[in-house]
Amino acid sequence: MNCLDCLTGRHLTVPAVGVCVDCGAALCLEHAHIEVVHRTRLVPLGRMVQVEPPARLITCPACAAARKAAGVTSAHQGGLPYDR
């Protein structure tokens, strides 16, 4: 699998190292936006606790920009994915 942004933007064939969580585009290391996501879960007495270890969230440049414009960040992820 090859990076979609490299292929469409520069007409280069660069191996992909990940896939965008939002749109599914294959990404090389240069185009992958990687965030650390601290997931949480609900425990007895209604307390939210952080789940270890933190997860990774990989997005393409277009989806990362759309998330930023919409105000969706890893802090808003909580224990569930955001509404699609």
Side-chain angles (χ1 to χ4, degrees), residues 2-81:
N2 297 313
C3 177
L4 179 64
D5 285 353
C6 286
L7 185 61
T8 58
R10 297 181 293 188
H11 305 291
L12 297 174
T13 303
V14 178
V17 296
V19 176
C20 177
V21 70
D22 291 325
C23 71
L27 302 166
C28 67
L29 195 53
E30 179 183 340
H31 288 111
H33 290 254
I34 303 170
E35 288 184 63
V36 173
V37 179
H38 295 279
R39 302 287 184 182
T40 58
R41 67 183 176 102
L42 192 61
V43 296
L45 300 177
R47 290 185 318 131
M48 295 295 284
V49 295
Q50 192 167 311
V51 176
E52 291 293 333
R56 286 183 296 227
L57 181 82
I58 301 171
T59 54
C60 68
C63 291
R67 281 173 165 265
K68 185 176 180 180
V72 178
T73 65
S74 58
H76 293 112
Q77 291 290 315
L80 300 171

